[in-house]
Amino acid sequence: MLAICNGMPRAGSTLQYNVARCLVEKTGSGTAHAFITTDEENPRRITTAQLLEWATDDAWRVVKTHEVLDALPDLLATGRLRVLYVYRDLRDVAVSIQRAFATTGDDLVQRLDEGVAWYGRLDALRSEHPGRLLWQRYEDVYRDLPSAIGDTSTFLDLDADAALLDEVHAECRLESAEKITQAARRQLARALSAL
C-alpha cells in the first residue's frame, strides 16, 4: 500500500507527512521514505516502477511530494494508493514562500501557478476516486491536530487506539517540530562531515 502526502507548498505538508509516518511506524503498519520527486536531476528521483512496487506491498509506504505524479491515476485505480492533501489560502502560501525562500516576482508567480495547477489535478482525481484522497485544510489541522491525526488514522485504516494517537500528537505537535529540526540538522552535519 502506498500513501502519498501531496500537500500544497507551505501549507503544512511536512506536518501531514510526519503524522502519516508516525502512525504507520507506531502501528507497525509500514515505513516512510521521505521526500520524492520525478525530476531526473534530483537524487531523490522516484520511478513509476518503484511506486507500483510499493503499492503492491502489504505494508504501508509513506512518501511526500508536491508534484502530481503522472502515475497517480493508474495507482489510484488499483485501490492500493491513498493520497493525503493539505491546502491553504493561496495568499498565505504566497507570503510564506516569500518569507521562507525570499522568492518574489515571476519566480513567486510561477510557484503559485504550479501549486494551483497541482491542486486542480488532484481535485479532479478526488472526484474520480472518492474515498481515496484525504483533503485537509491547513487552518483546521493546526487548530485541532488531534482530530487531524484521528482522521488520518481512519483514512489509512490503521488500528490506532487513543494512547497511540496521543503519542503521535506528542511527537508531531508544533512544540516538537523544533526538536525534530535540530536532530535533522545534526544528522546532516554528521553526513557532511563523513563525506
Side-chain angles (χ1 to χ4, degrees):
M1 296 290 290
L2 180 62
I4 297 179
C5 299
N6 197 323
M8 185 177 280
R10 307 302 299 166
S13 58
T14 300
L15 172 62
Q16 190 181 53
Y17 164 78
N18 280 322
V19 165
R21 174 193 58 79
C22 281
L23 282 166
V24 300
E25 289 175 352
K26 289 184 180 297
T27 58
S29 302
T31 57
H33 298 278
F35 185 82
I36 62 166
T37 181
T38 57
D39 178 3
E40 293 186 13
E41 303 296 318
N42 193 309
R44 293 181 183 209
R45 180 177 180 265
I46 192 82
T47 63
T48 299
Q50 181 64 71
L51 292 171
L52 290 167
E53 180 183 322
W54 285 344
T56 62
D57 196 342
D58 288 335
W60 280 108
R61 304 297 186 118
V62 181
V63 296
K64 177 188 178 211
T65 189
H66 292 295
E67 303 169 44
V68 178
L69 306 173
D70 290 338
L72 282 186
D74 292 337
L75 286 164
L76 283 165
T78 69
R80 300 191 59 82
L81 168 67
R82 297 291 181 272
V83 177
L84 298 91
Y85 187 78
V86 61
Y87 66 95
R88 185 180 190 185
D89 185 297
L90 203 57
R91 294 167 294 189
D92 293 329
V93 170
V95 170
S96 186
I97 289 172
Q98 284 178 315
R99 287 182 180 161
F101 306 114
T103 303
T104 58
D106 290 343
D107 291 338
L108 176 60
V109 171
Q110 179 182 348
R111 291 184 77 165
L112 294 173
D113 283 346
E114 282 178 343
V116 169
W118 291 333
Y119 177 96
R121 287 179 63 195
L122 284 169
D123 193 34
L125 288 170
R126 180 170 64 143
S127 297
E128 294 169 26
H129 302 279
R132 295 195 183 138
L133 285 88
L134 175 65
W135 220 249
Q136 294 179 308
R137 189 171 158 257
Y138 169 88
E139 292 81 5
D140 296 337
V141 171
Y142 276 94
R143 182 177 47 252
D144 189 1
L145 184 56
S147 289
I149 293 168
D151 292 345
T152 302
S153 178
T154 300
F155 178 68
L156 296 177
D157 297 320
L158 299 174
D159 186 22
D161 61 19
L164 191 139
L165 295 175
D166 287 344
E167 278 183 50
V168 172
H169 179 253
E171 188 170 321
C172 292
R173 67 180 193 237
L174 293 178
E175 296 81 5
S176 301
E178 183 61 31
K179 291 178 189 175
I180 293 167
T181 302
Q182 289 173 357
R185 285 184 183 136
R186 286 192 298 274
Q187 183 179 12
L188 177 61
R190 285 192 297 271
L192 289 174
S193 294
L195 288 175

